[in-house]
Amino acid sequence: MERTLVIIKPDGVQRGLIGTIIGRLEARGLKLVGMKLMQIDRALAERHYAVHQGKPFYEGLLDYITSGPVVVAVLEGPGAIELVRQTMGATRPAAAQPGTIRADYAIDVGRNLVHGSDSPETARFEIGLFFREDELISWQRDVDRWIYG
Ligand code: DAT
Ligand code: MG
């Protein structure tokens, strides 16, 4: 079983797409084990996006992610990291496949609605940045036997 961090970025919250985005991930079969509305401060944004430090879009990225409330969530399921990345679509909405969140709801790489961890190491690091252990709930979902065998 795998866990991954999802962020509905400030544009997703402002545009009223929280339910749509979470709904797509839920409908796919992934299970929420943590979720909250929060505002990311500069220091947290710098830690989360440390790998992008020095890139031309870095400052703009920090401005964007700290510009309003976000929803952070941890989703669980077999292969959750890859499943979320696929459901989100490519970083650049113009390159994302139709049917993905970024293709269906976004046009600009700087307003691409959603974040998902990209590897098991990143997922562990990012979940730890945004959630305390006691904010994550391990629970049995009765429908799981109809989603994976
Ligand atoms: P992803 O969010 O798909 O994991 P990433 O980790 O490469 O993509 O980059 C993080 C975010 O930074 C991305 O969601 C949007 C922004 N970004 C990436 N490349 C960019 C670029 N060339 N111009 C502007 N923003 C960019
Ligand atoms: Mg990334």
Side-chain angles (χ1 to χ4, degrees), residues 9 48-49 51-52 85 88 91 102 114-118 122 126:
K9 296 178 180 180
H48 175 68
Y49 280 130
V51 295
H52 297 299
R85 296 286 300 184
M88 279 173 20
T91 306
R102 284 166 167 173
V114 64
H115 168 87
S117 308
D118 65 7
T122 313
E126 292 178 350

Side-chain angles (χ1 to χ4, degrees), residues 8-113:
I8 301 174
K9 296 178 180 180
D11 49 335
V13 175
Q14 292 282 353
R15 292 176 56 194
L17 292 172
I18 298 170
T20 299
I21 292 169
I22 293 295
R24 283 189 173 211
L25 298 169
E26 257 191 317
R28 183 114 196 229
L30 293 164
K31 179 165 67 180
L32 277 166
V33 297
M35 183 158 74
K36 59 189 175 187
L37 183 75
M38 65 178 290
Q39 179 120 11
I40 299 177
D41 67 22
R42 199 85 186 169
L44 180 56
E46 285 174 0
R47 293 179 72 195
H48 175 68
Y49 280 130
V51 295
H52 297 299
Q53 200 184 346
K55 296 182 184 171
F57 58 83
Y58 177 71
E59 287 301 327
L61 183 59
L62 295 190
D63 289 344
Y64 163 49
I65 202 70
T66 59
S67 65
V70 299
V71 168
V72 289
V74 177
L75 285 129
E76 185 181 272
I81 294 167
E82 189 184 1
L83 289 171
V84 167
R85 296 286 300 184
Q86 187 198 43
T87 302
M88 279 173 20
T91 306
R92 216 161 49 80
Q97 293 295 316
T100 63
I101 293 164
R102 284 166 167 173
D104 290 354
Y105 300 105
I107 54 178
D108 186 332
V109 69
R111 298 286 183 271
N112 64 3
L113 290 172

